[in-house]
Amino acid sequence: MSKVVFITGGSSGIGKCIGEYLLLKGFKVYGTSRNPEKVVSSKFPLVALDVRDVQSIKNAIAEVLEKEKNIDILINNAGVGITGPIEEIPTEEILNNFQTNVFGPIEVIKAVLPNMRNRKSGLIINVTSIAGYMGLPFRGVYSSSKSALEMITEALRMELKAFNIEVTNVAPGDFATNIAAGRYHAPVLSNSAYKEIYQMSLDMMNEHVDEGGNPMEMAEAIFKIINTPKPKVRYKVGAPMQKFSLILKKILPSKMYEKLLMNHYKIKG
């Protein structure tokens, strides 16, 4: 029988691309959207789910389990970007980001685990970001939320070993998707001490997304992981230079690496 894949945030971007690719490979795919009735072009079923709402999560998982009996693979893909000087980002927006990028995925995992544990089988793939491996200026909240999910993944892998459930993390770099459109941008305030450098950084971030890679790379990477009996702790998918930056962080002194980032973002200090 075809394995059942449940993808959060499957109505657009990377999630949609992964879902369509896995569908072609013979998987039974379910995606999620906060408003599935507004999505008219999905090639696989979408169920209503808001990762910030625990009851919404429970309802969505229950709906799929009622139809399929099992969920074999969970791909925690739903996430949202956020930019701005940490001093100027409203606290409610920081909380919303962590609710979407960290607490939501945890609740989805908690909802699927009883089914996976009972069968002693399952695969959980958490989609984080290469940005989660470093504190990036004006992306500090996003970097930290993705880093938090990375640590959750590490811990969960060990907790679930006894139940034959595999957990792994996939960190993408910049891909050409609509993520920038859904990202929360702290406004560039006319009287802000960060006005010029934040605007410059914002333009650079948007340019990187526009020039990003093909999200099909992520779909292919996910498919390869699914077919790997014992997945690694983490995978990185992105441009060679983005992945190389992580190697540099490991081998360079912290202040030297910080200087490289500051030069990249044209921050003086």
Side-chain angles (χ1 to χ4, degrees), residues 150-163:
E150 173 91 18
M151 294 302 104
I152 290 292
T153 303
E154 286 190 10
L156 200 59
R157 277 177 62 88
M158 293 180 279
E159 292 177 12
L160 298 179
K161 286 291 185 183
F163 307 108

Side-chain angles (χ1 to χ4, degrees), residues 32-267:
T32 75
S33 170
R34 277 181 288 179
N35 301 289
E37 69 281 355
K38 294 182 179 179
V39 183
V40 295
S41 59
S42 183
K43 295 180 180 178
F44 48 86
L46 294 174
V47 296
L49 184 149
D50 184 339
V51 292
R52 301 167 300 178
D53 183 336
V54 176
Q55 192 56 53
S56 167
I57 291 169
K58 291 179 179 179
N59 292 345
I61 297 299
E63 180 180 334
V64 175
L65 287 178
E66 186 177 352
K67 293 176 181 176
E68 303 295 343
K69 307 306 178 190
N70 299 317
I71 291 176
D72 299 290
I73 301 158
L74 165 64
I75 302 174
N76 260 323
N77 166 75
V80 65
I82 184 169
T83 66
I86 291 173
E87 181 183 356
E88 295 179 355
I89 300 176
T91 300
E92 59 268 26
E93 292 298 340
I94 296 175
L95 292 172
N96 179 69
N97 190 266
F98 270 75
Q99 193 68 49
T100 304
N101 291 356
V102 186
F103 306 134
I106 291 173
E107 292 296 339
V108 177
I109 290 169
K110 288 164 71 173
V112 302
L113 275 181
N115 177 265
M116 289 184 174
R117 273 191 299 100
N118 288 339
R119 294 183 295 113
K120 288 192 176 295
S121 175
L123 171 63
I124 297 170
I125 300 174
N126 291 327
V127 177
T128 59
S129 172
I130 284 179
Y133 293 103
M134 60 197 83
L136 296 174
F138 308 110
R139 294 181 74 183
V141 172
Y142 180 74
S143 289
S144 57
S145 69
K146 290 299 187 179
S147 181
L149 186 56
E150 173 91 18
M151 294 302 104
I152 290 292
T153 303
E154 286 190 10
L156 200 59
R157 277 177 62 88
M158 293 180 279
E159 292 177 12
L160 298 179
K161 286 291 185 183
F163 307 108
N164 195 39
I165 299 170
E166 295 291 339
V167 189
T168 188
N169 167 84
V170 183
D174 291 319
F175 284 94
T177 68
N178 61 349
I179 188 172
R183 179 193 291 156
Y184 172 80
H185 297 290
V188 182
L189 303 173
S190 59
N191 61 344
S192 171
Y194 307 95
K195 179 184 176 182
E196 291 184 9
I197 186 60
Y198 173 39
Q199 183 64 66
M200 191 185 304
S201 297
L202 200 55
D203 293 341
M204 187 182 298
M205 290 177 222
N206 291 334
E207 184 180 314
H208 286 170
V209 171
D210 291 340
E211 296 176 355
N214 188 336
M216 184 59 69
E217 291 178 47
M218 270 293 286
E220 291 170 347
I222 294 288
F223 178 66
K224 187 174 180 179
I225 291 167
I226 290 172
N227 286 288
T228 300
K230 295 292 180 182
K232 296 189 296 185
V233 178
R234 59 183 58 86
Y235 296 85
K236 303 170 189 73
V237 184
M241 201 60 203
Q242 291 174 340
K243 290 189 282 188
F244 182 62
S245 68
L246 303 182
I247 297 173
L248 289 178
K249 184 169 186 181
K250 287 182 180 179
I251 62 176
L252 293 178
S254 297
K255 283 191 174 181
M256 186 178 294
Y257 188 76
E258 179 185 64
K259 191 65 178 177
L260 284 176
L261 284 179
M262 291 175 69
N263 288 340
H264 178 73
Y265 284 94
K266 298 180 173 57
I267 296 175

